[in-house]
Amino acid sequence: MSRQHVLVVLGHPDRLSYCAALADAYVAGLDTDRYDVEVLRLGQLDFDPVLRFGYRERMPADPVVDRSQELLLWADHVVLVFPVWWSQMPGLLKGWVDRVLVAGFAYSMNGLRTVRLLRGRTATLVVTAQAPASIAGSTVRLVRRKVMGFCGIKTTQVLTHGWMTTSRDTPERRERFRSKVGQAAARLDARSRPAPADR
């Protein structure tokens, strides 16, 4: 069986955050005999996350955007790790989505029909939230269906750690969830994807 490719995208800007520890746990849990892994830690990358001209014109070439697109084409499985802030993904991650998942790369339109150019890939979402996991679900559904799904990436697993920074959020509870994330990576069963769509 050929080696599969996993791209982990850390959407929390703080390299010392709990989300960063979760991303590390996922990477550490992967079977290195079966998977090659690349990690994008967005908070440590020098790129402009603001879509300066909206969709009126393209922004100048950006090495981080170019590399991100290369890695998305390379990946069989994509892992997004991020906190829910104000019922949304952080601005840094949203900016990455705006800059990277552009028309002509991630999707195209054929009249009213969406052509999902990243189809065949799968995804895991690892999410933290101050709210209960059930409340954070609206954000998860948005990312799952309207971001990943719109581009053809099928989310196969969601891991949510709610009640962050509340009295329920003990070090022991965090460690159990971190272990759960590592175990999810160890059980990953990514499959070879079909040939990419015509561009």
Side-chain angles (χ1 to χ4, degrees), residues 130-182:
Q130 289 186 329
S134 59
I135 300 299
S138 60
T139 306
V140 169
R141 286 190 294 274
L142 176 67
V143 175
R144 182 176 192 162
R145 297 174 185 174
K146 302 301 184 181
V147 178
M148 309 301 276
F150 190 80
C151 302
I153 302 174
K154 181 180 179 181
T155 299
T156 54
Q157 186 173 41
V158 177
L159 303 171
T160 305
H161 183 76
W163 297 112
M164 290 284 294
T165 70
T166 71
S167 59
R168 302 188 185 193
D169 187 34
T170 63
E172 294 78 16
R173 183 170 174 271
R174 286 195 182 199
E175 179 56 29
R176 286 196 299 272
F177 186 73
R178 193 189 68 81
S179 295
K180 181 179 180 179
V181 169

Side-chain angles (χ1 to χ4, degrees), residues 30-43:
L30 286 169
D31 182 351
T32 56
D33 290 332
R34 297 178 59 202
Y35 296 104
D36 294 322
V37 61
E38 292 282 347
V39 183
L40 288 173
R41 303 178 190 277
L42 301 186

Side-chain angles (χ1 to χ4, degrees), residues 12-183:
H12 197 300
D14 183 3
R15 64 184 179 85
L16 300 179
S17 65
Y18 181 54
C19 279
L22 295 176
D24 290 341
Y26 196 95
V27 171
L30 286 169
D31 182 351
T32 56
D33 290 332
R34 297 178 59 202
Y35 296 104
D36 294 322
V37 61
E38 292 282 347
V39 183
L40 288 173
R41 303 178 190 277
L42 301 186
Q44 298 178 43
L45 301 179
D46 183 19
F47 82 108
D48 184 357
V50 179
L51 202 60
R52 297 288 172 181
F53 312 113
Y55 293 102
R56 179 171 56 82
E57 64 178 87
R58 287 289 178 91
M59 290 178 64
D62 185 310
V64 173
V65 173
D66 292 345
R67 179 59 175 159
S68 296
Q69 292 179 340
E70 289 172 3
L71 288 174
L72 282 168
L73 293 178
W74 168 85
D76 298 293
H77 190 73
V78 180
V79 183
L80 293 186
V81 185
F82 64 94
V84 173
W85 291 345
W86 287 99
S87 299
Q88 303 172 67
M89 66 178 79
L92 179 65
L93 180 57
K94 178 59 166 61
W96 182 83
V97 167
D98 289 344
R99 296 287 318 275
V100 173
L101 300 182
V102 293
F105 169 75
Y107 68 94
S108 64
M109 301 304 297
N110 182 3
L112 297 177
R113 185 175 70 89
T114 303
V115 181
R116 307 177 199 281
L117 298 178
L118 297 181
R119 72 177 187 269
R121 293 162 180 81
T122 56
T124 293
L125 305 182
V126 180
V127 181
T128 65
Q130 289 186 329
S134 59
I135 300 299
S138 60
T139 306
V140 169
R141 286 190 294 274
L142 176 67
V143 175
R144 182 176 192 162
R145 297 174 185 174
K146 302 301 184 181
V147 178
M148 309 301 276
F150 190 80
C151 302
I153 302 174
K154 181 180 179 181
T155 299
T156 54
Q157 186 173 41
V158 177
L159 303 171
T160 305
H161 183 76
W163 297 112
M164 290 284 294
T165 70
T166 71
S167 59
R168 302 188 185 193
D169 187 34
T170 63
E172 294 78 16
R173 183 170 174 271
R174 286 195 182 199
E175 179 56 29
R176 286 196 299 272
F177 186 73
R178 193 189 68 81
S179 295
K180 181 179 180 179
V181 169
Q183 292 163 10

